[in-house]
Amino acid sequence: MSITASSENCSGMTSRKSESMRKPSLVQGQSNQQTGAWLHFVAGGAGGFIGTFLFSPLEVIKTRFQSSLYQHNLNNPTGKTGVFQNMKFHVTDTLGSIRSLYKIEGGRALFKGLGPTLAGVVPSRSIYFFSYGNGKKLLTELNGGQETSAVHLASAACAGTLTATLTNPIWVIRTRLQLQSEKARTYRNSLHCIYEILRQEGTRGLYKGLSASYLGVIESTLQWVVYEKLKDQVLQRNPTLDPSAPRSASDWGETLLCAGTAKLFAAIVAYPHEVLRTRLRQNSITTNQFKYTGLIQCTRLIVKEEGVRGLYSGMTPHLLRVVPNAAVLFGTYEMIMHYFGGRN
């Protein structure tokens, strides 16, 4: 009896042990969820780092085109007014400006402000993707498990507002460094820039342009909504893009195309906020005075002095940078989430 009972106990223990090995424990499930939550943070930061480094020269040129400190002619001097002729002129003009910057100020000028840019982009993209990914999951659960466009919109708006508030000081420093020329250097480096801003303008100086950044949340929100829509359409047409299935090179190509298209649409619609934000953050190189003091005042003054065109200064280098940058950013993010997140 005892031997039989013992055998039954052993077999029962073995059965329960094998069953427990087959089923993941609650602790393991919680650990995986926590890993997945923080993976958004890591993936967003990695994508931001790669994209920012690759397209830094275009970022410098765009900032200078947007600023009133570097007057730039937006009109095509050839007199040709066709859409394609204007596009060709602006692309050629942008590439020519990069060459001129390199010849006049050297190769280092192409990466002006890269330090604070990386210091801002990596945490801001990490914060943004962490907030969006986990916010979308939470709102989807509250919405009865349905992931709708309203969920995407609310998640992106919350993530954008939080990111803009936390990282605004970094962008102020980057803008000041990018706008100074080698002949008129106001700030020696990022730390000196922070010191001078705090000394001359106080803490409020680090938050200049925040109102325009909040306005820019519209762009990131539009981008996510369009991106999610395009991904859904691709998924319906191509079942191999299911998260649980491996992806081919063409599948990843469609992901990059979705990301680039979404960014192109959002950037064109919301572009004026980029100019307003740069103008609000700039200061006079010679007098250290501020010409633009508020969002409405800045908008009216630009339109008065430069026309509506002024609100689109630097859009060509901006689009040349942000569209492929968005493809790199989202592609890196999606790959890391796919391969390290258990394809979940």
Side-chain angles (χ1 to χ4, degrees), residues 48 53 81 87 102 158 162 179 208 244 303 315:
F53 184 82
T81 58
M87 287 177 60
Y102 176 78
C158 292
L162 176 64
L179 291 180
K208 286 186 177 295
S244 61
V303 173
M315 189 167 77

Side-chain angles (χ1 to χ4, degrees), residues 103-159:
K103 290 180 180 179
I104 296 172
E105 300 184 38
R108 293 182 62 183
L110 298 175
F111 295 91
K112 276 181 180 255
L114 181 60
T117 298
L118 288 174
V121 166
V122 174
S124 69
R125 294 295 181 264
S126 297
I127 293 169
Y128 187 88
F129 280 90
F130 177 84
S131 304
Y132 179 81
N134 292 285
K136 183 176 71 170
K137 179 182 178 182
L138 176 62
L139 291 175
T140 300
E141 291 175 354
L142 294 176
N143 195 38
Q146 294 184 349
E147 187 179 315
T148 62
S149 294
V151 169
H152 299 154
L153 192 148
S155 302
C158 292

Side-chain angles (χ1 to χ4, degrees), residues 8 30 69 86 99 103 148 154 201 208 215 242 245 253 275 322:
E8 290 176 352
Q30 292 174 343
L69 303 178
N86 279 326
R99 286 195 296 269
K103 290 180 180 179
T148 62
E201 306 164 40
K208 286 186 177 295
L215 190 63
D242 186 90
V275 177
V322 298

Side-chain angles (χ1 to χ4, degrees), residues 98-334:
I98 294 176
R99 286 195 296 269
S100 298
L101 179 62
Y102 176 78
K103 290 180 180 179
I104 296 172
E105 300 184 38
R108 293 182 62 183
L110 298 175
F111 295 91
K112 276 181 180 255
L114 181 60
T117 298
L118 288 174
V121 166
V122 174
S124 69
R125 294 295 181 264
S126 297
I127 293 169
Y128 187 88
F129 280 90
F130 177 84
S131 304
Y132 179 81
N134 292 285
K136 183 176 71 170
K137 179 182 178 182
L138 176 62
L139 291 175
T140 300
E141 291 175 354
L142 294 176
N143 195 38
Q146 294 184 349
E147 187 179 315
T148 62
S149 294
V151 169
H152 299 154
L153 192 148
S155 302
C158 292
T161 302
L162 176 64
T163 304
T165 303
L166 293 177
T167 61
N168 194 79
I170 300 173
W171 304 129
V172 173
I173 296 165
R174 183 199 67 173
T175 300
R176 299 285 179 89
L177 291 174
Q178 286 180 338
L179 291 180
Q180 67 177 3
S181 65
E182 294 301 317
K183 295 181 180 179
R185 290 179 62 85
T186 305
Y187 312 109
R188 294 191 297 270
N189 49 48
S190 298
L191 292 177
H192 183 244
C193 183
I194 295 172
Y195 171 77
E196 288 296 324
I197 291 174
L198 291 174
R199 184 177 68 85
Q200 299 177 14
E201 306 164 40
T203 306
R204 294 184 62 181
L206 294 174
Y207 287 90
K208 286 186 177 295
L210 183 59
S211 56
S213 293
Y214 286 152
L215 190 63
V217 172
I218 297 173
E219 178 179 342
S220 58
T221 303
L222 279 174
Q223 180 183 355
W224 268 112
V225 172
V226 174
Y227 177 64
E228 296 281 13
K229 273 291 184 187
L230 291 175
K231 275 208 313 181
D232 287 342
Q233 292 179 3
V234 170
L235 183 59
Q236 292 176 3
R237 183 171 52 83
N238 188 355
T240 62
L241 281 182
D242 186 90
S244 61
R247 298 186 182 182
S248 64
S250 61
D251 294 336
W252 286 115
E254 289 188 304
T255 299
L256 299 180
L257 183 60
C258 289
T261 302
K263 186 62 178 181
L264 177 64
F265 172 77
I268 292 175
V269 171
Y271 182 76
H273 91 273
E274 292 273 352
V275 177
L276 296 174
R277 188 170 58 189
T278 297
R279 299 292 178 94
L280 288 169
R281 288 172 178 167
Q282 75 179 39
N283 63 335
S284 173
I285 293 177
T286 55
T287 63
N288 202 35
Q289 298 297 314
F290 291 92
K291 180 179 181 180
Y292 307 100
T293 57
L295 195 63
I296 297 177
Q297 181 264 358
C298 182
T299 305
R300 289 176 175 174
L301 193 57
I302 291 174
V303 173
K304 179 182 177 181
E305 295 181 348
E306 307 167 39
V308 178
R309 277 176 170 265
L311 294 173
Y312 293 89
S313 300
M315 189 167 77
T316 299
H318 179 70
L319 293 179
L320 287 175
R321 182 186 68 87
V322 298
V323 173
N325 187 20
V328 171
L329 171 61
F330 278 73
T332 303
Y333 169 78
E334 295 280 10

